[in-house]
Amino acid sequence: MAPAAMTSARSLSDARPAPFWLEDPGKPDPLPALAGDERCDLLVVGGGYSGLWTALLAKERDPARDVVLIEGREAGWAASGRNGGFCAASLTHGLGNGLARWPDELTKLEELGGRNLDAIEEAVGRYRLDCDFERTGEIDVATEPYQLAELHEMHQEATRLGFTGLELLDADAMRAEVDSPTFLGGLWDRRGVAMLHPAKLAWGLRRACLEQGVRIYENTPGLRLASSGPGIVVRTPYGRVLAHRVALGTNVFPSLIRRVRAYTVPVYDYALMTEPLSAAQLASVGWQRRQGLGDSANQFHYFRITADHRILWGGYDAVYPFGGKVRAEMDHRPETYLKLASHFFRCFPQLEGLRFSHAWGGAIDTCTRFSAFFGTAHGGKVAYAAGFTGLGVGATRFGADVMLDLLSGERTERTELKMVRSKPLPFPPEPVAWAGIGLTKWAMARADANDGRRNLWLRTMDRFGLGFDS
């Protein structure tokens, strides 16, 4: 084995195959499952961020509203407890994607996204959500000259549109913030992203919901949904819930509305967490302002530093399972862990000898436009939001407001958005989806190796508004 491979293998030898966040000692005890019948004004299906925000905001809008939430496992156990903890204001998966898809309403989308992140920060204080919330911003890092040129172009475009808060960093300024020999520059969004502990956010929202009177049943998956007189009935393994209105926050898991399923596919993303850095190791990388970072390649890495001075390092591989099914055996992928570890030490050679304490993966609900879509069913009695494509830590709160607007029948500044009124293109059936996603990943890797130049396949995908991301 080559020396670099040996370094990567040794660094992983003691890593626990489990999400770091979900092993926090503050994890709450599970709540009982539903047995028998329940009745309510609003039933929320799903106990991740999407469902928890929906239940909490419903009670904020009307404290007398009778709200029930059911969760198939435990609140926050899936993507909400496995992500990198980047809570972004963007509702469009970044400025570039927003410009490409909704140029006429991008200013409004940016405004709404900023207000949404402000509201999350306010809720953290009001509900005492102990989730290590830090509004540090995020730096998009250039590691190749063509990426540096792209960041300059994006900064110029943002300036032209009147968006502030983005700061260009040259190589010296970038390395003064976080030191890596691979960094050539960066674009720092100073206020548009917060870092947090993702599982603690989910658990805090769960507690806040309970305190506001939401009845939560865990280990209670929703199995079937149907109209029942003036309302909706959702069956569970040991009972059923009869509700006037239903909000579906199941995201990557198969929707109870069958026609919605073709719009998302599960993409598996993987991450490593280091042991805590020593004072000398911290000094060697800097990172005093604790920003989130992400490189600018198609196959990108995201990385951040935690409250206890660990480094989370994730991304790069985005794995689509044939057939598009969520499967527990996909939660771990040793070959990806080795790849990530080797990339980590290439980025931070000064940290050679550091070891990883945890390695894990999880499924992301990806759609072809990279940002959430919304809709209703059963005559407006059921609403859904899905397809957040990796940016759900922040955007799910906005999606919760959209679902509640749709269920109320209100026309709001949210429901009038083209983004809300339109749908992405669905994924094709198998084996076309498998072949198309595989070809797209190959083309993206080729572009990364070819100064960002996109081949005919990627240009065709761009023309039709199709894409693949995590």
Side-chain angles (χ1 to χ4, degrees), residues 7-8 79 125 155 174 409:
T7 296
S8 300
H155 184 255
M174 180 67 238

Side-chain angles (χ1 to χ4, degrees), residues 89-157:
S90 177
L91 305 175
T92 62
H93 209 95
L95 192 61
N97 192 52
L99 273 170
R101 299 181 187 280
W102 305 288
D104 296 338
E105 60 185 30
L106 184 60
T107 299
K108 173 54 92 175
L109 287 166
E110 289 290 302
E111 176 199 338
L112 289 169
R115 282 161 45 190
N116 184 64
L117 182 56
D118 289 343
I120 292 172
E121 184 171 19
E122 189 273 333
V124 166
R126 176 153 49 106
Y127 293 110
R128 308 177 316 282
L129 306 180
D130 179 19
C131 61
D132 303 334
F133 187 97
E134 299 178 275
R135 197 144 175 186
T136 60
E138 180 181 7
I139 304 176
D140 290 332
V141 180
T143 58
E144 298 287 345
Y146 79 87
Q147 296 171 9
L148 193 59
E150 290 174 351
L151 293 182
H152 277 265
E153 291 174 10
M154 185 57 63
H155 184 255
Q156 290 173 353
E157 187 66 21

Side-chain angles (χ1 to χ4, degrees), residues 262-434:
Y263 290 104
T264 62
V265 296
V267 174
Y268 279 81
D269 180 58
Y270 299 91
L272 307 176
M273 185 72 84
T274 72
E275 62 190 358
L277 274 64
S278 67
Q281 289 168 328
L282 278 170
S284 75
V285 295
W287 221 336
Q288 295 183 3
R289 292 192 254 202
R290 306 174 59 77
Q291 307 96 326
L293 275 74
D295 63 50
S296 302
N298 289 306
Q299 291 184 288
F300 63 94
H301 305 88
Y302 56 87
F303 39 117
R304 49 80 57 95
I305 195 160
T306 67
D308 60 347
H309 309 307
R310 301 168 184 264
I311 296 175
L312 177 140
W313 179 267
Y316 195 78
D317 278 345
V319 181
Y320 169 70
F322 183 83
K325 295 188 183 299
V326 178
R327 304 200 304 264
E329 61 265 29
M330 293 292 297
D331 285 349
H332 298 289
R333 199 165 189 262
E335 60 266 43
T336 293
Y337 299 153
L338 277 169
K339 191 182 300 181
L340 285 172
S342 70
H343 296 173
F344 177 88
F345 291 112
R346 187 185 310 153
C347 182
F348 296 120
Q350 67 269 44
L351 296 180
E352 184 173 352
L354 189 66
R355 300 175 78 86
F356 295 101
S357 64
H358 294 75
W360 72 93
I364 292 169
D365 63 325
T366 293
C367 73
T368 56
R369 73 183 193 188
F370 311 151
S371 52
F373 62 91
F374 313 90
T376 60
H378 291 269
K381 292 181 287 189
V382 178
Y384 57 83
F388 292 93
T389 317
L391 285 193
V393 181
T396 45
R397 186 194 175 280
F398 173 81
D401 262 331
V402 171
M403 285 195 284
L404 292 171
D405 289 350
L406 293 172
L407 290 173
S408 71
E410 295 178 64
R411 292 182 61 179
T412 70
E413 60 183 344
R414 290 177 289 264
T415 62
E416 293 298 295
L417 292 167
K418 183 178 179 182
M419 175 191 178
V420 171
R421 292 184 287 107
S422 64
K423 294 281 195 303
L425 289 171
F427 288 93
E430 296 291 15
V432 179
W434 169 262

